[in-house]
């Protein structure tokens, strides 16, 4: 699992990909310019990033008993 | 030992190598299954079924994709199979794409007092929001944004086209962001 923080480039890539545009296309450059100047859109992008970040950080640890049951289920032994 | 060596040994019947592969991925698969079904018992069941499938069909693994992508494909299938058993559950429709981008609530995310995901109240909000999404949308969002697979790997794991992955991803993302925005406004 990648824990890397989402970068502005990632966000732009996503926006442009969804529009089937290349990062350097005219439309994408125009979007970037708009984003640089529009606080509403900046806020929207930031909150989408935060949403993704919350879900990334919400993890559950495999309980030892579940691991033991899995190995038994598969008829495998722990080697270490 | 490199993963390719472990795979080759496991394919040749080495149980220790197989056990090592299982141990290398059990946490990832359990965590992913939990994120799809939001239930620890179901997550354990799906994890067992996923590795059972892996053991049965490892000889078919040709190394053309990463083992992790192959496993995500298996676990995704098991998640979908389990979800289909509960067909009577209804999920939100994301057909109205324009509606997804309308700003209906004005929450200030900077003042949210419980930003840590260790916070139980936040966990409830995250669970409730994602449970409204159908498993097909959940899967794409989790594989691409949360697990960090590429768009192409996500398409492989879900057997969707790349444009379909992108479309589902953007809708799922916008929907979840709006749900959180609404919850934080309260």
């Amino acid at each position: 699992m990648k824990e890397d923080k989402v970068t502005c480039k990632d966000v732009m890539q996503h926006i442009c990909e969804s529009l089937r545009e290349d990062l350097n296309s005219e439309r994408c450059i125009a979007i970037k310019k708009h984003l640089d100047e529009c606080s509403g859109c900046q806020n929207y992008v930031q909150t989408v990033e935060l949403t993704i970040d919350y879900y990334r950080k919400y993890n559950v640890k495999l309980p030892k008993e579940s691991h033991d049951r899995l190995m038994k289920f598969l008829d495998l032994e722990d080697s270490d | 030992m490199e993963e390719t060596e472990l795979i080759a040994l496991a394919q040749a019947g080495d149980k220790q190598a197989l056990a090592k592969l299982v141990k290398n991925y059990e946490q990832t698969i359990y965590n992913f299954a939990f994120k799809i079904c939001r239930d620890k018992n179901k997550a354990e069941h799906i994890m067992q079924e996923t590795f059972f499938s892996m053991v049965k069909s490892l000889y078919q693994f040709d190394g053309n994709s990463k083992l992790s992508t192959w496993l995500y494909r298996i676990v995704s299938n098991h998640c979908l199979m389990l979800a289909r058993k509960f067909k009577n559950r209804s999920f939100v429709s994301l057909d109205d794409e324009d509606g997804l981008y309308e700003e209906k609530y004005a929450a200030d995310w900077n003042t949210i007092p419980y930003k840590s995901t260790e916070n139980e109240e936040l966990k409830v909000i995250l669970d409730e929001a994602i449970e409204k999404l159908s498993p097909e949308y959940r899967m794409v969002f989790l594989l691409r944004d949360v697990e960090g697979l590429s768009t192409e790997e996500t398409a492989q794991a879900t057997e969707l086209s790349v444009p379909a992955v992108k479309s589902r991803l953007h809708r799922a993302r916008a929907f979840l962001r709006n749900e959180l925005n609404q919850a934080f406004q309260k």
Side-chain angles (χ1 to χ4, degrees), chain A residues 1 14 18 44 47 50-52 54-60 62 66-67 69 73 75 78 80, chain B residues 15 19 23 26-27 30-31 35 38 44 48 101 109 115 117 126-127 129 144-145 170 173 177:
Chain A
M1 192 191 319
H14 285 316
S18 73
Y44 184 83
T47 53
L50 267 174
T51 301
I52 295 169
Y54 283 144
Y55 281 102
R56 272 190 181 176
K57 286 178 179 159
Y58 180 174
N59 293 305
V60 288
L62 176 71
S66 301
H67 162 77
R69 283 192 289 267
F73 180 73
D75 193 24
D78 275 316
D80 47 35
Chain B
K15 287 188 111 181
K23 285 177 80 171
E26 61 182 354
Q27 173 62 54
Y30 176 76
N31 196 29
K35 287 179 177 188
R38 321 305 286 190
E44 182 174 338
Q48 289 185 349
Y101 300 106
W109 290 44
K115 279 186 176 169
T117 34
L126 295 173
D127 285 341
R144 180 72 185 89
D145 275 346
H170 289 283
R173 221 184 246 167
R177 182 263 172 204

Side-chain angles (χ1 to χ4, degrees), chain A residues 1-2 59-62, chain B residues 22-35 47 50-51 68 71-72 75 143 147 149:
Chain A
M1 192 191 319
K2 286 182 187 166
N59 293 305
V60 288
K61 199 168 170 349
L62 176 71
Chain B
V22 170
K23 285 177 80 171
N24 286 353
Y25 284 101
E26 61 182 354
Q27 173 62 54
T28 304
I29 296 299
Y30 176 76
N31 196 29
F32 179 75
F34 173 81
K35 287 179 177 188
M47 173 184 71
T50 299
F51 284 111
S68 58
L71 282 173
Y72 276 123
V75 70
L143 286 170
E147 302 297 306
L149 269 67

